[in-house]
Amino acid sequence: MARKIIAGNWKMNLNLAEGAALVKASDDYLNANPAKHIDVIVAPPAHQLVQTVKLSTNTKLSVVAQNMCAHENGAYTGEISASMLVDAGVELVIVGHSERREIFGEDNALLEAKLHKALEYDLYPIFCVGESLEQRQAGIHFDHIEKQLEAGLKNFSADQIPHIILAYEPIWAIGTGETASPEQAQEMHAFIRKFLASKFSATVADETSILYGGSVKPANAKDLFSQPDIDGGLIGGASIQIDSFLELIKIGESILR
């Protein structure tokens, strides 16, 4: 059975005090309302990783890095290595977010290398895939997602795949206020799970978490999380407001099983 996850990606938002307030509120909420069905993950900016780890006392609250270098320690100015993340107490890392692909030009070969490096250091990667509006309108969105999955996962064994969390994020629904309908999201999640079953096994497909990321908010979370192949959300803007993030945790706990 796949893990059910509510993951908040703060992106380049929140100062130290704001980040501390958000993670402490999440931690306090989980201590007062123990989560039985979900795991909660927060992804602060790099300078807040150590602080966030220290403030996360609940076993259901984990910290994920937003990015990681594919190389070991060395002359890579501005990067952060897997060993540094482990040293900071981080448990997961986002790989291949659409903003890393689109803005910073990270290609499939680099992302595959990052996935291997993350697992080498026992970090759970959240591997993101998604299509643009143009690709969806052209009817090639399934082909595009399959190519991203094929390129990223081709050199992993069936035993390794359940340690990789997948996130489907339609690029056209990130930060735009647009959201894939529950039916559109479910259709793609089912496609991804079918891909995993065909390449690895039905058991692997069942055990792999697939999150939806694309303008998830309290108003639409119930309908999205009710879909059979959606195991939770990778949430952007709604995760940096305390009230909305706590509401998403509450919805996730009540819907995701």
Side-chain angles (χ1 to χ4, degrees), residues 233-253:
L234 178 59
I235 301 148
S239 74
I240 60 174
Q241 301 293 329
I242 291 175
D243 290 345
S244 63
F245 191 53
L246 295 185
E247 182 63 20
L248 285 165
I249 294 173
K250 180 179 179 180
I251 294 170
E253 177 67 10

Side-chain angles (χ1 to χ4, degrees), residues 6-237:
I6 301 297
N9 178 14
W10 302 356
K11 305 189 180 185
M12 199 168 70
N13 294 295
L14 306 183
N15 60 30
L16 285 168
E18 292 166 337
L22 177 54
V23 72
K24 189 174 187 307
S26 303
D27 192 69
D28 288 346
Y29 178 86
L30 289 170
N31 285 331
N33 304 275
K36 298 178 181 178
H37 307 294
I38 64 169
D39 294 319
V40 179
I41 296 170
V42 290
H47 77 296
Q48 297 189 43
L49 287 171
V50 172
Q51 168 181 272
T52 305
V53 168
K54 289 180 178 178
L55 291 172
S56 304
T57 68
N58 192 282
T59 57
K60 286 287 189 175
L61 180 61
S62 301
V63 180
V64 56
Q66 296 181 17
N67 190 29
M68 182 198 75
C69 186
H71 298 286
E72 296 286 352
N73 300 344
Y76 301 101
T77 300
E79 292 291 328
I80 187 166
S81 69
S83 62
M84 291 174 178
L85 296 180
V86 172
D87 189 47
V90 172
E91 300 176 44
L92 309 95
V93 60
I94 299 173
V95 175
H97 191 282
S98 60
E99 291 158 1
R100 300 300 309 178
R101 293 177 185 264
E102 298 293 311
I103 299 173
F104 298 99
E106 297 190 357
D107 61 19
N108 288 328
L110 174 60
L111 298 178
E112 184 199 5
K114 287 189 177 189
L115 289 175
H116 282 283
K117 184 61 65 177
L119 291 189
E120 179 183 337
Y121 280 85
D122 294 324
L123 290 166
Y124 276 84
I126 300 178
F127 181 45
C128 302
V129 297
E131 84 281 3
S132 67
L133 180 60
E134 293 76 17
Q135 288 163 335
R136 177 165 279 271
Q137 290 176 333
I140 61 172
H141 45 297
F142 291 114
D143 290 339
H144 181 71
I145 298 300
E146 184 172 9
K147 288 177 182 177
Q148 288 183 324
L149 291 168
E150 189 73 56
L153 305 179
K154 61 184 177 181
N155 292 314
F156 288 93
S157 69
D159 290 340
Q160 292 175 304
I161 296 301
H163 296 281
I164 300 173
I165 299 164
L166 300 179
Y168 167 59
E169 41 167 24
I171 298 170
W172 48 273
I174 298 175
T176 64
E178 296 292 332
T179 310
S181 69
E183 294 76 19
Q184 287 173 317
Q186 165 58 22
E187 182 182 37
M188 186 59 80
H189 279 243
F191 175 81
I192 293 171
R193 208 172 297 280
K194 183 178 178 180
F195 171 89
L196 295 174
S198 67
K199 293 295 180 180
F200 302 100
S201 72
T203 299
V204 167
D206 184 59
E207 292 178 350
T208 302
S209 299
I210 310 175
L211 312 181
Y212 173 75
S215 296
V216 180
K217 45 189 175 289
N220 60 30
K222 182 177 180 180
D223 289 338
L224 288 165
F225 295 164
S226 295
Q227 300 305 309
D229 286 296
I230 295 180
D231 296 313
L234 178 59
I235 301 148

